[in-house]
Amino acid sequence: MNKVTLAVVGAGEFGTRYLNALRSVAGVHIGCICDRDRAKAEGAAASLPGVRVATDIQQVCDDPSIDAVIVVTPEHLHRVVAEPALRAGKHVIVEKPLATTPEDAEAMMRAAKETNRLLMTAFLLRFDYRYAQLKERIEEVGKVRNVYAYRNFDRSLFALYSRTHSFIENAIHDIDLVLWYVGSKVKRVHGFCRNTQGRENPDVNWGVLEFENDAIAVIHTSWLYPPQRHDVLQWNTGVQVMGDRGVLEVRSDSDGFRANTESFGQVVLDQTGWATIHGEPRGAFGAMLRHFIQCLRGEAHYRGTTPEEAMESMRVAVALAENAATKPE
Ligand SMILES: NC(=O)c1ccc[n+]([C@@H]2O[C@H](COP(=O)([O-])OP(=O)(O)OC[C@H]3O[C@@H](n4cnc5c(N)ncnc54)[C@H](O)[C@@H]3O)[C@@H](O)[C@H]2O)c1
């Protein structure tokens, strides 16, 4: 079968990561890089000879050679790219969150339904073998009673990601996992936030979710981790699921690949998210991309987060942010 031709829209931090990974994913041709900032699109295309450069999603929509679009624009600008792309008959991967408002998410879902295109929200942790195995073994712990999920990142990254509330931008990964694991509807949310860095949104965020089946989850996301070299980023992330008959746990900063060298000191390196082995993206990110391509080629049945699940995670995240805003700091 012919290669799947992709356009990457948004050549920023994460768009660049997609482009690097996609170079070595089998069955993929990168056809176009689009950024409203032409210099960024041209910069990203410089090392990819023959790739077209665009500055407007309409140019991508009008190009019949593009099969699918990867939306890597800022969180509140997903719909402006994804909806026209879907309407033009392209399949779409949209970075998380699906959108930042229910109205945008609904418009994207409607476009995907009406055109029968795949709309995948890039919840890569569902393709991390540890989180996926936790889901596969969840019945062993019996009824799930409580879940604790945490995601604490480097202060310096907050300069960029404070543009969106962290429940919606960052904790959304954990909200997706927690809803997947608990398998019940959220009946009440309680958000507690502190803004210690004086940016647009709070950097310390604790959320409590009460589920209809009586399970309770705590979601914790802060940006107080000390600044690190990004090539050796140590992820302070994990999840603990407790049920009547046991505990299942994933911890990223203690179970990775350990190195202790003169140049870096002691580091525990992530091997499951972005690991590149023999030049290929072998972590969850690569697995997610390969799965998307296999689905488009009719070689796999879709098993990522559905648009309805992505919508629910977003609703919970928005509710947490709104609830936190009702409480004085
Ligand atoms: N999965 C993860 O772990 C993870 C990590 C970081 C970021 N992300 C997500 O990736 C997305 C992009 O984040 P980023 O860090 O790359 O942001 P960024 O600000 O570095 O890049 C966004 C790019 O989009 C471009 N852009 C904006 N509007 C556009 C439009 N209408 N058409 C074309 N280009 C447009 C901007 O010029 C910019 O170059 C966000 O949704 C973010 O939450 C995911």
Side-chain angles (χ1 to χ4, degrees):
M1 189 189 164
N2 288 342
K3 287 191 168 190
V4 173
T5 300
L6 298 175
V8 172
V9 183
E13 290 290 325
F14 228 59
T16 310
R17 208 175 261 242
Y18 269 95
L19 289 165
N20 289 339
L22 286 167
R23 287 163 196 261
S24 46
V25 172
V28 165
H29 169 65
I30 303 170
C32 179
I33 299 175
C34 173
D35 197 297
R36 65 182 177 190
D37 178 338
R38 175 172 286 280
K40 276 193 175 179
E42 284 176 350
S47 58
L48 292 162
V51 173
R52 281 183 304 289
V53 164
T55 53
D56 190 302
I57 182 60
Q58 202 50 48
Q59 295 165 270
V60 177
C61 293
D62 293 343
D63 181 344
S65 74
I66 302 294
D67 301 305
V69 172
I70 301 189
V71 182
V72 215
T73 47
E75 299 75 33
H76 67 293
L77 296 173
H78 288 175
R79 175 185 176 181
V80 291
V81 176
E83 190 183 9
L86 289 161
R87 295 267 172 219
K90 318 296 184 193
H91 299 279
V92 165
I93 296 186
V94 60
E95 252 309 323
K96 44 49 50 178
L98 174 59
T100 54
T101 65
E103 299 72 42
D104 281 3
E106 269 156 18
M108 291 156 71
M109 287 167 66
R110 226 177 5 255
K113 266 209 182 81
E114 287 172 13
T115 55
N116 197 25
R117 300 291 97 173
L118 183 55
L119 171 60
M120 175 188 221
T121 308
F123 283 115
L124 81 167
L125 294 178
R126 293 219 188 184
F127 295 88
D128 178 316
Y129 69 88
R130 304 162 309 165
Y131 290 103
Q133 281 192 347
L134 195 159
K135 172 69 178 174
E136 279 178 16
R137 299 188 66 148
I138 204 143
E139 285 182 7
E140 287 177 50
V141 304
K143 186 170 165 51
V144 172
R145 298 293 183 180
N146 75 249
V147 185
Y148 171 49
Y150 59 96
R151 182 163 304 276
N152 298 309
F153 280 177
D154 182 327
R155 283 171 183 275
S156 66
L157 290 171
F158 200 51
L160 178 61
Y161 295 115
S162 56
R163 66 188 175 196
T164 301
H165 198 291
S166 292
F167 281 137
I168 301 168
E169 192 279 322
N170 202 27
I172 194 84
H173 282 295
D174 301 301
I175 296 171
D176 175 62
L177 289 173
V178 167
L179 299 191
W180 193 37
Y181 294 154
V182 174
S184 171
K185 285 202 79 86
V186 172
K187 76 176 172 202
R188 260 193 306 269
V189 305
H190 314 268
F192 306 89
C193 301
R194 296 289 182 271
N195 188 336
T196 76
Q197 296 181 46
R199 293 197 182 272
E200 196 179 343
N201 281 294
D203 52 322
V204 176
N205 303 275
W206 286 78
V208 180
L209 309 182
E210 293 183 79
F211 288 86
E212 284 177 0
N213 72 356
D214 279 347
I216 294 184
V218 172
I219 311 271
H220 166 206
T221 293
S222 78
W223 299 83
L224 298 178
Y225 226 53
Q228 296 156 70
R229 285 183 52 158
H230 285 187
D231 52 346
V232 292
L233 198 64
Q234 298 184 63
W235 302 91
N236 181 240
T237 60
V239 67
Q240 184 189 58
V241 178
M242 283 189 185
D244 287 339
R245 296 197 301 274
V247 183
L248 300 167
E249 207 164 348
V250 175
R251 284 185 295 176
S252 287
D253 61 352
S254 55
D255 299 339
F257 166 60
R258 281 166 190 269
N260 189 349
T261 65
E262 286 184 9
S263 46
F264 291 130
Q266 175 142 318
V267 285
V268 182
L269 297 163
D270 164 67
Q271 294 299 293
T272 53
W274 317 104
T276 296
I277 298 163
H278 301 144
E280 264 191 275
R282 302 305 306 181
F285 189 55
M288 178 187 77
L289 293 176
R290 287 192 296 277
H291 179 63
F292 180 74
I293 300 302
Q294 284 166 352
C295 288
L296 297 200
R297 292 163 64 107
E299 295 164 0
H301 178 67
Y302 182 68
R303 51 172 198 271
T305 303
T306 64
E308 290 73 20
E309 289 173 318
M311 165 71 118
E312 193 54 25
S313 306
M314 193 210 65
R315 279 192 200 285
V316 170
V318 170
L320 279 170
E322 286 175 355
N323 181 269
T326 64
K327 302 188 185 86
E329 281 199 11

